[in-house]
Amino acid sequence: MLISNLELIPGKKIVQHLGLVQGSTVRAKHVGRDIMAGLKNVFGGELKGYTELLEDSRKEALQRIEQQAAAIGANAVINVRFSTSSVAQGASEIFVYGTAVILE
Amino acid sequence: MDSFFGLISFVVLMLLGYFFGSVAEKKHYQSILKREAELRHIVVIPQRFPRVANVTESFLVTGSVVISVDYFKRFLATLRMLFGGRLTSYESLLDRARREAILRLQAQAQSHNAKYVYNLKFETSSISKGQKDRVGSIEVLAYGTALVCS
């Protein structure tokens, strides 16, 4: 599955548009990481635990968008956008959306 | 007595934050400048329509970082919020986060032998609001489409 945030794929032709596909995950941080983050909030610096957590959830959202696109018979998702929002204190939602297309 | 201990812990936290925070920031800037020089050959541009010939492969690349401000700077920012004006301590935090995110994106593109990253987009969100709705830590995500050319 080809995933891209361009509107056209260079060197390839779009045969058919299949409409919007989306994937999202809501994740919460766990307590151990919260304690580490509390310490880091004093010293400053990167919160590696959170970076990994968000990377994992982004991968999962991308997997979901791929599944959804494959289910409607697409072989690529173009014009992909990411969006993050905090749903509740300590939990955030990662949302990915794009256009499913069939490439030549 | 209680307020005395409160004051002591405040001062200790301020000193720890000031010391470790400024060391961490200096180190981070040094490593950012070094890696930026190393990865300069990978072109990253926010252009939507690539003008590159002979593209063999294209795929999504991302780079993200969650970074936190230290206690001392957060206190300075709270003081600043009384008077208004520029929050320099947060400006450098956001600058570091964005540049780090681009570097990670470039590193990912490099590991797949891509030379260009088109349509770069940024996404910024605050992770923990901290007490009293203050910005504690921020997440920056940079993403774009990497192109491999023959």
Side-chain angles (χ1 to χ4, degrees), chain A residues 22-58:
Chain A
Q22 49 191 317
S24 81
T25 48
V26 181
R27 292 263 180 127
K29 334 173 259 202
H30 74 72
V31 185
R33 278 178 174 156
D34 252 4
I35 293 167
M36 276 307 289
L39 280 177
K40 278 280 177 172
N41 272 328
V42 174
F43 300 126
E46 193 191 341
L47 308 176
K48 292 217 172 69
Y50 285 178
T51 308
E52 276 165 31
L53 182 77
L54 284 155
E55 225 142 75
D56 283 351
S57 24
R58 201 160 290 124

Side-chain angles (χ1 to χ4, degrees), chain B residues 3-145:
Chain B
S3 60
F4 178 70
F5 279 121
L7 188 69
I8 292 262
S9 72
F10 172 73
V11 169
V12 168
L13 283 176
M14 284 280 273
L15 286 174
L16 281 175
Y18 176 70
F19 184 71
F20 285 101
S22 53
V23 167
E25 184 172 306
K26 209 177 267 175
K27 261 193 190 162
H28 194 194
Y29 264 125
Q30 274 171 0
S31 101
I32 284 176
L33 288 174
K34 193 176 146 236
R35 281 180 296 154
E36 271 180 350
E38 280 167 8
L39 290 166
R40 194 147 287 151
H41 62 278
I42 294 170
V43 181
V44 178
I45 31 180
Q47 199 176 28
R48 281 159 68 204
F49 299 104
R51 298 204 184 101
V52 187
N54 304 324
V55 177
T56 52
E57 213 185 316
S58 63
F59 48 86
L60 196 75
V61 281
T62 58
S64 72
V65 63
V66 179
I67 194 168
S68 165
V69 75
D70 60 69
Y71 195 86
F72 178 72
K73 284 193 163 181
R74 194 174 303 126
F75 179 73
L76 283 190
T78 335
L79 272 188
R80 183 46 113 183
M81 277 169 199
L82 293 176
F83 308 107
R86 276 179 71 182
L87 297 176
T88 8
S89 51
Y90 282 155
E91 281 175 359
S92 75
L93 177 79
L94 284 154
D95 178 49
R96 273 157 66 200
R98 295 235 165 81
R99 285 163 85 171
E100 179 71 40
I102 295 183
L103 284 169
R104 288 185 184 179
L105 174 119
Q106 282 176 316
Q108 206 184 335
Q110 192 187 36
S111 70
H112 290 90
N113 295 322
K115 281 191 191 127
Y116 304 93
V117 178
Y118 271 86
N119 204 6
L120 177 84
K121 302 259 184 225
F122 280 116
E123 174 76 34
T124 312
S125 62
S126 87
I127 296 277
S128 64
K129 292 245 162 66
Q131 302 115 325
K132 293 171 203 154
D133 276 349
R134 283 178 293 178
V135 182
S137 44
I138 55 147
E139 194 222 359
V140 172
L141 163 72
Y143 60 103
T145 301

